Amino acid sequence: MAIRPPRSDNGADRRTPGSFRDPSGFVFERDGTLYRQVNRAYQADYDRLVASGLARTLIDDRLVIPYSEVDEPPSEPESAYKILRPERVPFISYPYEWCFGQLKAAALLTLTLQKQALTYGMSLKDASAFNVQFIGSRPIFIDSLSFETHRDGTPWVAYRQFCRNFLAPLALMSLVDVRLNQLMQPSLEGISLELASRLLPWKTRFDPRLLIHLHLHARAEKAYAGQTKTKTKTRAKSKASPGGSSPAFSKHALLGLIDSLEGAIKSLRWSPAGTEWADYYSETNYSTGATGRKVDLVAEFLDRVRPRTVWDLGANTGRYSRLASERGASTVAFDVDPACVERNYRDGLARDEQKILPLWLDLTNPSPALGWAHTERSSLLDRGPVDLSMALALIHHLAISANVPLERIARFLRSTCQSLIIEFVPKQDSQVQRLLASRADVFPDYTSDGFESAFVEHFAIERAEPIIETERTLYLMRARPE
Amino acid sequence: MPSWFDLPLNWLTGIATDWPAPILAYLDPGTGSFALQILLATFFGGVFALKQSWSNLKLWLSRRFETSPPTADSRSVRNTPSPGSPDNARPTVHGHQTAKIR
C-alpha cells in the first residue's frame, strides 16, 4: 500500500510520549484515534511478520493487540512505510501497579510469543514488561513491532531484559516480599540483576534455574562490565568462522533457554494471605442488611449515571467494582493491599472478566509521571479523568490515617472524574473509633457538615442516602465545571 | 578484585565470546548476557532435547497401549507451520488499503 502524502495539519498529531526508543516506528494520536507508524527501517521485518502468518496467528489467539493497516497520511512521511490502527487498550497500566499474578501472566505471555515467533523464523527483540497490557484479566502484547527476523546462531537479544523485567521482580516478590515489585518504579529498565541476586535468599543458589538466570547472570554482567565493545568484537571476529555463520547458539539451545525461563517463572508462587485487608469483607462492621442496602444504592447510582469508565478507589477485592463492570463500564479497581489486588485479579481470571482491571495503588502517593522528561510513563491523573469514581469506605483512611484535609480530598477526587459515589464514615463509626483509639483527635472538621461543605466546592450533591443499621451516608455527586 | 567465584566464570565466559559478529540490536543486549547464553548453549540444548525425547517416548507409549478409538478432538490437529516455512502459513491479507489483519 502506497503511503499517502502528509496532511497539512499533521502538526496536530500527538506522539505518544513513551514511544521513541525503537527506530522501527512509533505511536501517535490523531483526532482521538491511535495510530502506529511503521518506519522503513522495519520494512523487511514487518513484511516477514505479515507474510509468514505470525501476525495473524498472534492476533487470532489474542496474544497481540489487533490492528489494521490504514490509508492514513503518516505523521513523519520521510521515514514512513505503513500506518497501522491498533485497537485501543481501555486503561494503560504499569508493572509497578500489577499484582504478582499479573506480572507472572505477562512473563508467560512474553515467553509464549518468543516460542511462537521462533516457529515462524522470527524472534522478540524487546521483552519489556511495559509492552504488555491487560484487558480485564487477560494480558496482551501491544508492541507489534517487537518482532525481528531470527538470525541463526545468535542468542536471544532480549534475554537480559526479560530477566530484569520479569524473572528478577517475580523472584523477589515470591521469595522475599511481594511489595518488591515497587522496585520497578524507580528502575524502568527493570530490576538490576546484581541487586536481585544480593536481595534473594542464599538458598535460591541451589535452584538451578535461578542460579543460572539470576545469580550467574548477574556475575556474568559484572565480569563483562569493564569490557569495551571494540575489544569484544575484535575477539569475536577472530574466532568466528568465515562469513560469520558459526552456529554459536543453535535454535535448539534457544528453545531450551526459553523452556528453562518458562520453568523458572512457573515455579515462582505467591498466595495472598495474612494482610490487613485480605479478609476485609469478613471483618467489616457491616450487617447483612446494611451490606445489601449499600449494594442496592451503589447499583442505583450507577444506573443513574451510566458511566462508560469507572475508577474504584480503595476497591478491596472488588465487590462494588463488579457492580460497575457488570453494567458494562470499563472499571479499574485500585487498592493499596497487594493481597486484595491478587484476590481480585484471580477472581476476574476465574470468571474471565474483561471489564475489570485490579491494580495496586497507594492513593496517598499515586503513580507519578516517570521516565525521560517526566513523560515516558503517565501519572495516574494523566490517565484520567473517568466518567465516575467510587470512594467507598475510604474517606476516613485518607482524612484520619493519612491526615489529608477534606478539601484536598475533594479537590483530588474532582480531578479524577465527572461523577462521584462516595461514602462518608462519621466519627461515631466503630472503624473510625479504631483509627482514633491510639491517637489524638485533631480532626474537628471531620463531621458530616464539614464533609459536605468541603465537597460542595467541587461537586454538586445529587443524592445523600443513609445506609441502614450504620451511621454512614452514601452520596452521589456531580462535578462542578472547573 | 574478582572473587573466587568470578575466576572460573571469567575464564568460561571468555571462551564464550565466540559468537558471529557483529550483533546489532537497538537495545543493548548486554555482553555478559550474551556470554552466559553461549556458555550454556549446550546445556540448554541438551536439557531441552532430553525433555522432548521424554515427551515423545511418553506419547509413543500412550499411543502404543491406547485401546479406545481416537476421538474427534484428538484427530483435529492445528495447522501450525513448520519452523521458518512461510509456505505453510495461513493465508494473509496485507498490502491493500484498510486491509484488516484480524
Side-chain angles (χ1 to χ4, degrees):
Chain A
M1 178 171 60
I3 284 286
R4 281 176 50 184
R7 288 189 344 179
S8 56
D9 60 345
N10 72 341
D13 292 351
R14 197 180 73 85
R15 189 162 166 164
T16 302
S19 180
F20 63 88
R21 292 186 193 274
D22 187 354
S24 302
F26 59 90
V27 178
F28 65 96
E29 196 169 332
R30 176 183 292 161
D31 302 331
T33 303
L34 203 63
Y35 297 99
R36 184 184 291 277
Q37 175 167 317
V38 182
N39 287 339
R40 284 198 198 94
Y42 188 67
Q43 179 173 348
D45 285 325
Y46 180 78
D47 287 344
R48 184 177 179 115
L49 177 70
V50 175
S52 68
L54 176 60
R56 174 181 285 271
T57 300
L58 298 180
I59 289 168
D60 285 352
D61 292 346
R62 292 296 291 180
L63 301 176
V64 169
I65 198 83
Y67 65 86
S68 48
E69 291 181 12
V70 292
D71 181 24
E72 185 74 20
S75 186
E76 292 184 5
E78 63 282 359
S79 57
Y81 174 55
K82 299 260 186 190
I83 301 296
L84 313 179
R85 186 173 58 216
E87 186 180 297
R88 194 185 276 271
V89 173
F91 183 82
I92 296 291
S93 60
Y94 301 124
Y96 42 83
E97 297 169 333
W98 298 344
C99 65
F100 179 84
Q102 287 168 315
L103 187 59
K104 186 171 175 175
L108 292 174
L109 168 72
T110 305
L111 293 175
T112 300
L113 290 172
Q114 172 65 347
K115 281 195 290 188
Q116 283 269 33
L118 287 170
T119 309
Y120 286 78
M122 300 197 81
S123 178
L124 262 186
K125 64 179 180 180
D126 193 343
S128 165
F130 291 93
N131 282 343
V132 179
Q133 288 298 322
F134 281 85
I135 298 179
S137 52
R138 287 188 196 171
I140 195 157
F141 197 78
I142 58 166
D143 187 358
S144 31
L145 309 188
S146 280
F147 299 89
E148 64 180 2
T149 303
H150 175 65
R151 295 194 307 144
D152 286 341
T154 53
W156 189 20
V157 169
Y159 172 55
R160 180 173 73 152
Q161 199 182 24
F162 181 87
C163 292
R164 290 180 63 131
N165 277 255
F166 294 109
L167 187 57
L170 282 169
L172 289 169
M173 290 170 84
S174 168
L175 301 164
V176 182
D177 192 302
V178 76
R179 292 167 294 186
L180 285 176
N181 72 327
Q182 289 306 300
L183 288 175
M184 294 286 282
Q185 190 166 301
S187 316
L188 295 180
E189 300 300 320
I191 297 172
S192 146
L193 298 182
E194 183 268 334
L195 177 62
S197 176
R198 202 133 47 93
L199 292 176
L200 283 167
W202 178 255
K203 66 177 183 184
T204 57
R205 286 159 176 81
F206 296 103
D207 179 324
R209 289 178 291 220
L210 294 184
L211 173 70
I212 290 170
H213 300 303
L214 289 180
H215 297 296
L216 283 180
H217 200 168
R219 291 282 185 175
E221 276 200 322
K222 190 179 170 191
Y224 273 85
Q227 289 216 17
T228 62
K229 275 188 176 177
T230 314
K231 184 180 171 189
T232 311
K233 277 185 185 174
T234 308
R235 201 166 163 187
K237 274 182 180 171
S238 70
K239 290 183 179 181
S241 60
S245 58
S246 148
F249 201 75
S250 68
K251 192 174 260 188
H252 221 64
L254 192 46
L255 288 169
L257 172 79
I258 305 305
D259 188 64
S260 173
L261 286 168
E262 198 171 39
I265 296 290
K266 283 181 175 171
S267 73
L268 296 169
R269 291 187 174 84
W270 182 74
S271 291
T275 60
E276 185 183 1
W277 298 101
D279 300 318
Y280 175 78
Y281 290 130
S282 57
E283 292 177 3
T284 182
N285 60 2
Y286 269 93
S287 64
T288 309
T291 302
R293 174 65 176 153
K294 184 171 165 181
V295 167
D296 290 346
L297 277 173
V298 171
E300 185 188 332
F301 291 173
L302 285 167
D303 289 336
R304 195 178 174 95
V305 177
R306 300 167 67 90
R308 286 174 299 125
T309 50
V310 169
W311 285 355
D312 187 359
L313 307 167
N316 203 268
T317 54
R319 173 185 285 174
Y320 298 98
S321 316
R322 285 186 170 77
L323 293 176
S325 64
E326 284 162 9
R327 284 167 169 73
S330 179
T331 306
V332 188
F334 296 104
D335 204 274
V336 71
D337 187 329
C340 288
V341 182
E342 186 73 34
R343 285 193 175 189
N344 199 350
Y345 168 69
R346 290 185 189 187
D347 285 350
L349 199 62
R351 300 174 200 162
D352 194 23
E353 291 174 329
Q354 301 299 300
K355 289 286 187 179
I356 181 168
L357 173 63
L359 291 178
W360 182 92
L361 179 77
D362 179 358
L363 260 185
T364 62
N365 182 24
S367 302
L370 289 171
W372 181 251
H374 302 291
T375 58
E376 223 176 329
R377 308 293 168 216
S378 302
S379 72
L380 173 71
L381 290 182
D382 286 342
R383 287 173 277 166
V386 281
D387 293 342
L388 182 139
S389 286
M390 296 201 287
L392 305 175
L394 176 73
I395 187 105
H396 50 309
H397 296 292
L398 300 177
I400 293 176
S401 302
N403 286 40
V404 183
L406 286 170
E407 195 280 326
R408 282 177 184 258
I409 297 172
R411 198 186 325 155
F412 171 77
L413 291 175
R414 170 65 187 87
S415 62
T416 67
C417 64
Q418 293 300 316
S419 297
L420 175 69
I421 299 177
I422 186 167
E423 180 179 6
F424 181 68
V425 187
K427 278 186 188 169
Q428 305 91 295
D429 189 277
S430 61
Q431 299 286 28
V432 181
Q433 288 299 312
R434 278 172 60 181
L435 296 180
L436 289 169
S438 57
R439 60 173 304 174
D441 182 354
V442 292
F443 311 101
D445 296 332
Y446 189 82
T447 62
S448 185
D449 288 343
F451 168 80
E452 288 190 8
S453 62
F455 273 73
V456 292
E457 293 288 315
H458 304 278
F459 293 93
I461 297 175
E462 192 166 305
R463 295 275 299 275
E465 298 289 340
I467 302 172
I468 56 163
E469 299 171 22
T470 74
E471 306 282 342
R472 304 179 176 200
T473 308
L474 198 68
Y475 290 84
L476 171 62
M477 303 186 182
R478 303 282 189 166
R480 294 189 190 282
E482 283 182 313
Chain B
M1 196 174 113
S3 70
W4 63 269
F5 188 82
D6 288 327
L7 291 172
L9 187 70
N10 285 346
W11 177 74
L12 285 168
T13 50
I15 295 170
T17 50
D18 188 11
W19 61 74
I23 300 297
L24 296 174
Y26 90 94
L27 289 174
D28 176 14
T31 314
S33 296
F34 261 48
L36 183 71
Q37 288 185 75
I38 289 169
L39 169 69
L40 295 170
T42 310
F43 171 76
F44 290 135
V47 171
F48 188 66
L50 275 175
K51 281 180 77 172
Q52 275 202 320
S53 303
W54 177 240
S55 299
N56 290 340
L57 180 67
K58 280 201 296 186
L59 188 68
W60 181 81
L61 286 173
S62 66
R63 280 182 182 162
R64 182 79 177 76
F65 296 106
E66 192 175 278
T67 51
S68 57
T71 62
D73 283 348
S74 65
R75 282 196 302 268
S76 66
V77 177
R78 189 182 162 148
N79 181 22
T80 305
S82 59
S85 166
D87 293 339
N88 290 343
R90 301 178 198 186
T92 55
V93 183
H94 62 100
H96 188 269
Q97 286 186 356
T98 65
K100 223 169 175 0
I101 299 274
R102 181 183 163 79

